[in-house]
Amino acid sequence: LLLLLLSLTAVKKQVCTMSEFGNWCLIESDPGVFTDLVDKFGVEGVEVAEILTLDQIPTEFKDSFGLIFLFKVTGESQSQGTVLPHAPHIFFARQMINNACATQAIINILFNIDNEKFSLGDRLSNYKGFMMGLDPESRGMTMMSMDDIRQIHNSYAYQEGFSMEQKKATKDDDAFHFVGFVPIDGRLYELDGIRGGPIDHGEFEGEWTQKAQEVLQERIQGFAMGELHFSLMALVPDARIAANAALSSAKAELVDAGVLSSQEDSIDELEADGEHADMVRQAKRAKFDVDEQLRKRGQWEKENSRRRHNFIPLYLQLLREMAKAGSLANATKAAKEKYAERVREQQQKVMDNATNSNK
């Protein structure tokens, strides 16, 4: 609890600051949040997955539709690609709304996807059709007027426990920004709403994710040593679709072999022995994958529900009880030490990754 409270101020600054222009809140860089966000937009066939290391990009995420990169805005954070002020073959909307960069990055990616595994849904298809004939600034202004999109976006704001006077950001405040990366016509583009146009990072051969890894590696190395404020996610095919298809195929084989009478039959009680042992094992593995996807979605739903709940009164009451019991001072000291240790461990990981990348 105390470890959470020590980081509460920093977290709130990243995820809950409200803009004076349109009241768009900053939201957390989390795959559960972003997946639920695109689901509520009406998008079908996609989900968002977290990327833990850059090495995963060209291997585990080679089938992704796009990448979402969060970074702390500093003097070193500027991209080195070529800005294209006029790129009619690319959907690009300028960011005209404070704190809307998360949704801006997602929509810029979604509107550039051309894949049969993916569907924008009626809501975004209508918006895209209307905005295609507009310039990037007008597209950004149109997004500012999308009340339904803004309401969905703001539903992921953490509940504040206190009423605090809003103040304008200063040079000492941390600022964070989301951008998107997408492959279009054999080239890698970065879609950053606060820039003058799409950023061209050049041609790629083979998997586009290999090029993206190289660009992001160079980008991150340009930040100061020890900088930890990065997050990377991928927009990927909905894993439930492949899992359900594999289970359906495995059960169909069992039906053909006479092990099951229909695909609606349960495989839970089947024994993986005899002449059909391999088929049964394959079906059970497929069932496990389906169950794992259901568990993951259930966990995301639970976490999103907690984000919307105000826990501050509970935290304050617990602190009062600890103070009455005389344990608050020691617990605070222990929490600070544990927090400092975590920071040191994270800094060491960043330095180790940088050293390994340069070998």
Side-chain angles (χ1 to χ4, degrees), residues 60-340:
E60 298 178 36
F61 295 95
K62 62 181 180 181
D63 295 328
S64 60
F65 301 120
L67 302 178
I68 304 165
F69 180 50
L70 171 70
F71 57 92
K72 182 179 176 180
V73 179
T74 68
E76 301 87 12
S77 60
Q78 196 79 289
S79 177
Q80 299 302 310
T82 302
V83 177
L84 305 179
H86 182 67
H89 64 298
I90 301 173
F91 181 92
F92 175 76
R94 290 290 302 275
Q95 183 179 334
M96 314 299 287
I97 318 160
N98 289 352
N99 301 336
C101 56
T103 290
Q104 183 93 30
I106 290 177
I107 289 181
N108 271 335
I109 293 174
L110 291 173
F111 283 9
N112 283 290
I113 297 176
D114 182 15
N115 192 299
E116 61 183 10
K117 298 179 181 179
F118 155 87
S119 172
L120 271 179
D122 292 340
R123 186 202 307 269
L124 291 189
S125 292
N126 291 335
Y127 280 135
K128 180 180 178 181
F130 175 77
M131 288 193 287
M132 284 303 296
L134 305 178
D135 59 74
E137 288 77 13
S138 297
R139 290 170 180 169
M141 293 298 293
T142 300
M143 285 189 62
M144 186 169 61
S145 67
M146 297 178 184
D147 289 339
D148 53 344
I149 298 297
R150 179 178 58 82
Q151 289 170 7
I152 293 171
H153 172 105
N154 285 346
S155 69
Y156 300 96
Y158 273 96
Q159 296 298 308
E160 295 285 359
F162 309 96
S163 178
M164 301 181 66
E165 181 181 354
Q166 294 294 317
K167 67 181 183 67
K168 292 184 178 180
T170 70
K171 65 179 182 178
D172 296 323
D173 289 332
D174 290 339
F176 298 86
H177 187 53
F178 288 96
V179 300
F181 288 86
V182 289
I184 302 175
D185 298 333
R187 303 182 73 85
L188 176 66
Y189 293 96
E190 180 180 345
L191 305 177
D192 182 348
I194 63 175
R195 302 296 295 276
I199 302 171
D200 185 1
H201 286 288
E203 293 182 337
F204 60 84
E205 296 182 1
E207 301 294 343
W208 76 272
T209 47
Q210 180 65 51
K211 176 72 173 180
Q213 180 198 30
E214 296 167 1
V215 170
L216 285 166
Q217 182 68 61
E218 182 179 357
R219 180 80 164 273
I220 291 175
Q221 287 179 341
F223 285 82
M225 181 63 71
E227 175 58 56
L228 304 174
H229 298 93
F230 302 107
S231 176
L232 186 61
M233 296 181 291
L235 203 63
V236 299
D238 187 341
R240 295 174 301 179
I241 297 175
N244 284 320
L247 178 58
S248 178
S249 176
K251 293 182 76 172
E253 292 184 4
L254 291 174
V255 171
D256 292 341
V259 178
L260 295 177
S261 58
S262 73
Q263 289 202 36
E264 285 67 40
D265 291 348
S266 172
I267 63 173
D268 294 340
E269 303 303 323
L270 293 180
E271 297 293 337
D273 54 19
E275 61 177 314
H276 302 302
D278 289 341
M279 281 193 293
V280 172
R281 278 193 289 268
Q282 181 179 356
K284 285 183 175 289
R285 283 194 297 268
K287 178 64 164 53
F288 175 83
D289 290 341
V290 169
D291 291 342
E292 178 62 19
Q293 293 304 317
L294 292 174
R295 184 206 63 77
K296 179 180 71 176
R297 291 285 180 141
Q299 182 64 28
W300 283 348
E301 182 177 356
K302 187 182 300 183
E303 291 172 355
N304 287 333
S305 177
R306 289 170 178 165
R307 287 182 176 95
R308 297 183 178 98
H309 186 75
N310 180 15
F311 287 97
I312 298 298
L314 172 63
Y315 298 156
L316 293 176
Q317 186 59 38
L318 288 173
L319 291 176
R320 292 190 189 102
E321 295 301 322
M322 292 175 68
K324 289 179 182 179
S327 60
L328 182 58
N330 289 336
T332 301
K333 180 181 177 180
K336 287 181 177 180
E337 292 174 351
K338 187 173 183 181
Y339 179 77

